[in-house]
Amino acid sequence: MIVLTDTVDASADRVLDLIARRFGGVVGLDPARVEIDREHGRLAYQGGWWYRGEYEVTEEAGRTRVTHRVFNVAGRGSRWAVPLANKFFIGFRDRTTAGFRELLREAGQSN
């Protein structure tokens, strides 16, 4: 549904740690699952009835590339409803992009 990618002046470990902290304390009514694969620089957060966000963090030419993908993982019978429902959540893409930019800004700050 959405793919965002950019680079930041921070180590891959720092970026992955920051993402893990952001999603490690998520509390909500729906069960959520966080999967972290540090060896391959990946983190996934899945929650609610349709949302899965995946981050891929790789070192590239002295910088770190961060790619964020949002997937519709609703079941076959309700998959069609996600784009319709998101039309009512006006600004979803803008909020997702703003959150991604904030993540990169925070990751690029010195320790």
Side-chain angles (χ1 to χ4, degrees), residues 67-82:
T67 301
H68 175 50
R69 294 176 181 90
V70 177
F71 296 94
N72 172 359
V73 294
R76 181 173 277 190
S78 59
R79 190 172 191 80
W80 62 270
V82 173

Side-chain angles (χ1 to χ4, degrees), residues 60-104:
E60 176 180 288
R63 294 176 59 88
T64 295
R65 175 161 300 281
V66 183
T67 301
H68 175 50
R69 294 176 181 90
V70 177
F71 296 94
N72 172 359
V73 294
R76 181 173 277 190
S78 59
R79 190 172 191 80
W80 62 270
V82 173
L84 179 62
N86 279 326
K87 287 183 181 178
F88 296 112
F89 305 153
I90 294 171
F92 175 75
R93 181 175 292 275
D94 290 340
R95 285 191 309 276
T96 301
T97 300
F100 181 73
R101 297 282 174 238
E102 174 59 21
L103 171 76
L104 295 182

Side-chain angles (χ1 to χ4, degrees), residues 8-21 36-43 56-60 63-66 103 107 111:
V8 63
D9 287 322
S11 72
D13 286 338
R14 176 176 168 79
V15 175
L16 197 57
D17 287 345
L18 178 60
I19 297 167
R21 280 196 308 275
I36 302 173
D37 179 351
R38 288 190 177 277
E39 182 179 345
H40 296 102
R42 296 184 184 132
L43 181 140
E56 184 176 8
V57 178
T58 56
E59 300 210 353
E60 176 180 288
R63 294 176 59 88
T64 295
R65 175 161 300 281
V66 183
L103 171 76
N111 294 331

